[in-house]
Amino acid sequence: MSRLDVRGIIFDIKRFAIHDGPGIRTTVFCKGCPLNCAWCHNPESIRPDPEISLMPDRCIGCGHCFKICQQHAHRMNGDKRVYDRDRCVVCGDCAEKCYAEAIEIVGRQVTVAEVIQEVEADRPFYETSRGGMTLSGGEPTQQFDFTHALLAEAKLRRLHTCLDTSGLTSWDRLDQLLPLVDIFLYDLKDTDAQRHKRFTGVDNDLILENLRRLNDAGAEIILRCPMIPGINIDDQHLTRIADVVRSHPRISEVNLLPYHRLGMSKSDRMGYDRPKLTEQTPAGQEVEEWLTRLRDLGVTTARRS
Ligand code: SF4
Ligand code: SF4
């Protein structure tokens, strides 16, 4: 099979992205993630397959979805509208016929050729801003063949590439991607092992080990740290981030990602039963204080993302 024909499942392509690496970029979001962060900003990325997103507040009650669904996944139960995910086979017919756009399919199968064509459309912007393509998710290495083929095609076309990764993957995969990635956007969710396990569902030891190996292999790394009120914000965490930066000279920059609540409404639309965080988005002043603390600890490259 040609590299251009390799298929993957993505849930979005964002053009003119300015927070996913240097310059103006096109970010490709892959589905599938081995973590389950309590604060996830993109919960629609967690499951690997396409799924239905339902926004009841947009529904105008036309009833098209009830009539069209062969599985009877949409129906009325008394005066209550019901969408039964267990019956749904994600054929997409209801989404196509819902003119109110209350139903959407999240996730679609694409080829490398289709994605690269879309990425190429903004090449003039990459050239003037030193931007390029970023692969994000989800965890792109979950769809390794697709990720490898897309990055290889981008490099063949001399596009600058970033890979946004949780680091929870085999070293063998990262090693194979090394020559194809200009900058790793490496997520470090928490430096506290117990909290990491509790709030992401996984240990952080492999993540830290892969970070060390990428550093030792000479990769360029931007460390990305979500800052979640009530979970990982304390001085010890900032001190440990500074320790990580000091001991990994290939980390060229640290980006702090303050919590925002957008993921909550997305979870509701996808029917996920996820923990409800009640914390608010941190104020700008608070973020400035974290940045100042990191700079005091010697991390001069810290900035908000
Ligand atoms: S097709 Fe859309 S607008 Fe019509 S009832 Fe179904 S969800 Fe509501
Ligand atoms: S995606 Fe298909 S099976 Fe699922 S609810 Fe819509 S029409 Fe029914």
Side-chain angles (χ1 to χ4, degrees):
M1 185 197 292
S2 148
R3 178 162 64 214
L4 289 168
D5 295 328
V6 177
R7 290 176 179 274
I9 297 178
I10 65 170
F11 65 93
D12 200 8
I13 295 181
K14 186 167 76 177
R15 295 170 68 180
F16 300 103
I18 54 168
H19 295 292
D20 298 331
I24 295 171
R25 313 191 68 84
T26 296
T27 303
V28 181
F29 291 89
C30 298
K31 247 175 126 14
C33 184
L35 282 75
N36 190 1
C37 305
W39 57 84
C40 184
H41 293 169
N42 289 328
E44 71 273 43
S45 71
I46 295 173
R47 293 184 187 150
D49 298 315
E51 51 199 317
I52 290 290
S53 165
L54 179 68
M55 289 152 277
D57 50 327
R58 289 195 191 169
C59 175
I60 54 172
C62 70
H64 279 140
C65 56
F66 303 119
K67 288 184 206 136
I68 205 162
C69 181
Q70 302 286 312
Q71 311 298 324
H72 305 291
H74 295 286
R75 57 183 187 277
M76 294 301 288
N77 187 357
D79 60 354
K80 195 168 180 289
R81 185 202 196 296
V82 173
Y83 163 56
D84 187 342
R85 281 183 193 272
D86 292 339
R87 285 174 174 258
C88 176
V89 294
V90 198
C91 68
D93 290 350
C94 59
E96 196 181 318
K97 290 285 183 244
C98 178
Y99 303 116
E101 298 183 353
I103 308 172
E104 284 176 4
I105 289 198
V106 178
R108 62 190 163 108
Q109 198 177 74
V110 289
T111 62
V112 166
E114 288 163 347
V115 175
I116 211 76
Q117 188 182 10
E118 209 164 326
V119 171
E120 283 279 15
D122 290 334
R123 182 183 279 271
F125 297 102
Y126 312 146
E127 287 172 356
T128 52
S129 68
R130 301 194 172 179
M133 181 185 80
T134 296
L135 211 45
S136 183
E139 170 51 51
T141 60
Q142 293 270 102
Q143 300 187 56
F144 181 72
D145 292 346
F146 175 68
T147 291
H148 189 279
L150 183 55
L151 288 168
E153 186 62 28
K155 283 284 37 113
L156 188 74
R157 294 164 183 252
R158 299 183 184 280
L159 288 164
H160 184 275
T161 57
C162 288
L163 178 69
D164 182 9
T165 178
S166 66
L168 192 71
T169 187
S170 70
W171 170 249
D172 179 54
R173 288 184 171 187
L174 288 176
D175 194 30
Q176 289 184 61
L177 296 175
L178 256 171
L180 307 175
V181 176
D182 290 306
I183 303 177
F184 286 84
L185 308 178
Y186 204 94
D187 299 344
L188 182 57
K189 313 288 188 189
D190 202 336
T191 51
D192 181 280
Q194 285 183 351
R195 280 194 319 222
H196 195 286
K197 174 82 176 170
R198 181 171 166 210
F199 291 106
T200 71
V202 298
D203 292 320
N204 67 0
D205 47 2
L206 178 60
I207 293 167
L208 291 168
E209 170 71 8
N210 281 335
L211 177 63
R212 184 190 61 75
R213 294 180 85 158
L214 278 179
N215 177 80
D216 293 352
E220 181 172 348
I221 303 162
I222 293 179
L223 196 69
R224 310 232 291 182
C225 304
M227 300 299 286
I228 316 298
I231 294 185
N232 68 0
I233 297 174
D234 57 31
D235 195 60
Q236 278 184 323
H237 182 43
L238 291 170
T239 304
R240 284 190 297 252
I241 290 173
D243 290 343
V244 168
V245 175
R246 259 193 301 276
S247 55
H248 296 76
R250 295 299 301 168
I251 295 177
S252 59
E253 192 176 305
V254 176
N255 293 171
L256 298 186
L257 284 62
Y259 171 68
H260 64 69
R261 297 180 57 79
L262 192 61
M264 291 293 148
S265 57
K266 289 188 192 172
S267 284
D268 290 343
R269 292 177 200 166
M270 311 297 289
Y272 299 160
D273 184 16
R274 294 173 54 77
K276 295 260 187 273
L277 298 189
T278 53
E279 271 72 17
Q280 299 300 314
T281 301
Q285 175 63 29
E286 209 176 338
V287 180
E288 281 308 314
E289 285 167 14
W290 305 332
L291 291 171
T292 302
R293 178 72 182 126
L294 279 178
R295 287 173 194 140
D296 288 347
L297 290 163
V299 184
T300 54
T301 58
R303 67 180 182 85
R304 180 185 183 138
S305 183

